[in-house]
Amino acid sequence: MDQATKTTPLARAKAVATLVAAAAERIEAARELPPDLLDALHDAQIFRTLLPRAFGGDEARLSEQVQVLETIAAADASTAWCIGQAAGCSMAAAYLTPEAARLVWGDRRAVLAWGQAGPDARAEPVAGGFRVNGHWNFASGGRHATWFGGHCKLVQPEGPPLEWTMLMPAAQVSLTDAWQVLGLRGTGSDTYAVQDLFVPTALVVRRDMPELRRQHGTLYQFSTTHAYASGFAGIALGIARAMLTAFLDLAQRKTPGNSSRALRDSPLLHRDVALAEAKLRAARTLLLTTLDEAWEHVVAGGALDLDRRMSIRLASTYATQQAREVVDMCWQEAGATAIFQSGPFERRFRDMHSVTQQVQARSSHFETVGQHLLGLEASLRFV
């Protein structure tokens, strides 16, 4: 057993966070994670936190995964996003045969990336598998991925089409640089495509279907949606915590140009800082407590019922939105100091406002939860 497997995922994240922070400017400039940092992340097995133990992963609790991503995001949000995305994708291993899972994740540097399906994504049944064509957007971490997933709608004899994911070696996928964006630049979330690619049946997966699950650990009673929703909330919390820490440091030193009073002596700021701290602590506690309560309920033999799924949806969305409010307060009160790329605010502001554009952060999720609480029929697409 190597050293990485002797420690917890959170301990390993804390150990590499300094390296992540030191690489942040290079990540931003290159719009991808540099090779030396990837080496350190793979040595720490940080991409394998949600992979089944049977295939060399941690099967970590979702609450610990949140803290892993929070820790990394405080150093660099793009790195945390790549880790969170890859970890969520790796949960698909629980729905594959052991042989197929080892083919995809057998290499210690294995990373699966997938993105949003384009309208032309299709998989045609052929002997032994499928012939796949199409393109997909937002392949976060695709530049260091070893495998890609292509989500395709497959027509059923009865009922609506079902989404299945085709797993494809990176060497057989064409990447297009399409990632000129506001924030999370280092994720390299490019567009990828295949043409007439044969994918064997063993490498086709329908995730999050209990009847198809092959690994039955507690983690896999939860869905990839739960991993993405809570994990990306953890990233938001990490950005906000780092932003608030930087702002508190600035407030000790800065006297605004149009004032003789130091920033730290403003009564209005006292109130805003206290509320920001309360928002972060409350949102973080709600998220971690909700995940742990659901986890312990499942461990005790209970089902992950709709009430608990809605609670995860609520806590994840709330944490993300509260983190954004904290970042916005710091940005506003820092004044012109915040706009310089050399400072600790500008990139985090852009990263946060990219995190909140992702589907898991939509404020419309509050409507879904509210409908459920009122006894109305609600969409379960992101629950």
Side-chain angles (χ1 to χ4, degrees), residues 32 37 48 98 201 229 280 289 291 341 345 366 375:
E32 61 183 299
L37 180 59
R48 304 173 79 88
T201 302
L280 280 187
T289 300
L291 292 171
Q341 291 182 355
F345 303 104
F366 290 128

Side-chain angles (χ1 to χ4, degrees), residues 138-360:
F138 305 113
S140 298
R143 299 181 190 183
H144 58 258
T146 53
W147 287 78
F148 285 83
H151 305 316
C152 296
K153 298 287 187 181
L154 298 184
V155 177
Q156 304 180 91
E158 297 181 1
L162 295 178
E163 183 178 275
W164 289 74
T165 302
M166 312 287 144
L167 302 184
M168 308 169 291
Q172 298 178 337
V173 170
S174 175
L175 269 179
T176 299
D177 183 350
W179 198 241
Q180 291 80 35
V181 291
L182 175 74
L184 296 177
R185 292 176 180 173
T187 64
S189 301
D190 294 322
T191 295
Y192 59 107
V194 297
Q195 184 174 5
D196 294 329
L197 178 66
F198 174 73
V199 176
T201 302
L203 292 177
V204 177
V205 61
R206 175 136 172 84
R207 56 197 165 96
D208 300 335
M209 298 293 289
E211 65 272 20
L212 301 178
R213 191 184 301 134
R214 294 172 180 267
Q215 299 292 322
H216 300 286
T218 302
L219 174 62
Y220 308 109
Q221 314 305 307
F222 295 81
S223 71
T224 53
T225 292
H226 301 138
Y228 291 134
S230 60
F232 295 158
I235 293 172
L237 290 170
I239 296 171
R241 174 54 66 191
M243 189 91 154
L244 182 57
T245 298
F247 177 73
L248 292 174
D249 178 68
L250 175 69
Q252 296 292 330
R253 299 179 285 104
K254 180 175 180 177
T255 298
N258 62 346
S259 173
S260 61
R261 184 174 63 185
L263 191 57
R264 67 184 181 189
D265 294 329
S266 167
L268 289 177
L269 185 62
H270 299 164
R271 175 184 180 276
D272 288 345
V273 165
L275 287 175
E277 182 67 27
K279 287 177 181 180
L280 280 187
R281 290 194 199 182
R284 184 177 188 269
T285 298
L286 175 64
L287 179 59
L288 297 180
T289 300
T290 298
L291 292 171
D292 281 337
E293 189 278 332
W295 186 278
E296 295 303 329
H297 177 76
V298 171
V299 167
L304 190 63
D305 55 32
L306 185 55
D307 284 342
R308 287 176 174 82
R309 290 162 57 196
M310 284 288 181
S311 292
I312 294 171
R313 177 74 274 166
L314 175 62
S316 298
T317 307
Y318 182 74
T320 304
Q321 296 295 333
Q322 292 295 100
R324 178 189 54 77
E325 290 185 12
V326 170
V327 164
D328 286 350
M329 185 282 293
C330 294
W331 172 267
Q332 181 68 33
E333 296 301 330
T337 304
I339 69 175
F340 289 91
Q341 291 182 355
S342 59
F345 303 104
E346 187 264 350
R347 185 176 69 248
R348 289 186 172 116
F349 180 83
R350 289 188 288 102
D351 286 343
M352 175 60 80
H353 282 270
S354 295
V355 168
T356 54
Q357 294 301 102
Q358 207 268 351
V359 66
Q360 296 294 346

